[in-house]
Amino acid sequence: MLIDFHIHLSRREHERPWVLEYLDHLYEGDLWELVDRVLTPAEIRPFLQSHGIDWAVGLAEDSPATVGSTPHEYVADLCAKANALPDPPAGPRGRLLPFASLNPFIVNDLGHELERLVKELGFRGIKVYPVYQHHYLNDIRMYPLYAKAQELGLPMLVHTGSSVFKGARIKYGDPLHLDDVAIDFPNLTILMAHSGRPFWYQQAFWMARQHKNVYMEVSGLPGKKLLEYFPELERLADKVVYGSDWPGNPHLRRNVDAILALSLKDETKERILWRNAAGILGVEVRG
Ligand SMILES: [Zn+2]
């Protein structure tokens, strides 16, 4: 069993030129040829299944000034058409759960728009991109979005920590600004993507220990270094969630294998790789 809480569904036409260029350098082969081939309703699930993934969170994005815009209609259509194909009789299902992205500088009524995306297009959660959309996480303009997500029971994935992309403003990635949000929205499930990488690991760990509704998501971190970054990871076994950040991280399995090799209890590894995410996403899992 494996749940990947962080997969980008952006095609080349959605990305700004400097993002294309950066990601190109990470790949030995032709990344964008792979992306074009794989991000179709017929191909995406076999691709995820071939990496052992049972469920994956697929991300929309609306950050035109910095990295690009991956439209909700495209993400919803890709996920719905792919999920409508029959499940394999055994093994990983590779199903997708679409997450929306609402930019407070573009959308006026965030709560209303989120509700529409959930009811009309089937979105299952939201991703917040403060370093690419340039707002603090506790900005009052974001509160209608958080309130609606809490009301609808939608989990919220939040970019925390650094980014290498042109135009990103790292100060907005400080996980401590989620302290206000976690307190003001006690029933909103918040996942800190990248767990505050690389200079806010302590803050992220503290936030997840302190707030029952805050989780660490470890995409973009080398799996083999997790115990170096978080020596007391075992104590947070029920608050850590795996994600790959594909295709920003070209390897869908490398960090899974690295986590499996860590000196943690088997039960903790199971929680990180799927059990915690299954509870948050409300998906049923095969034993
Ligand atoms: Zn990402």
Side-chain angles (χ1 to χ4, degrees), residues 6 8 59 127 194 245:
H6 194 134
H8 291 275
L59 303 170
K127 168 97 187 271
H194 320 306
D245 206 7

Side-chain angles (χ1 to χ4, degrees), residues 6-8 59 61 127 129 132 159 193-194 219 245-246 248:
H6 194 134
I7 284 192
H8 291 275
L59 303 170
E61 174 150 18
K127 168 97 187 271
Y129 296 86
Y132 301 133
H159 179 109
H194 320 306
S219 68
D245 206 7
W246 184 89

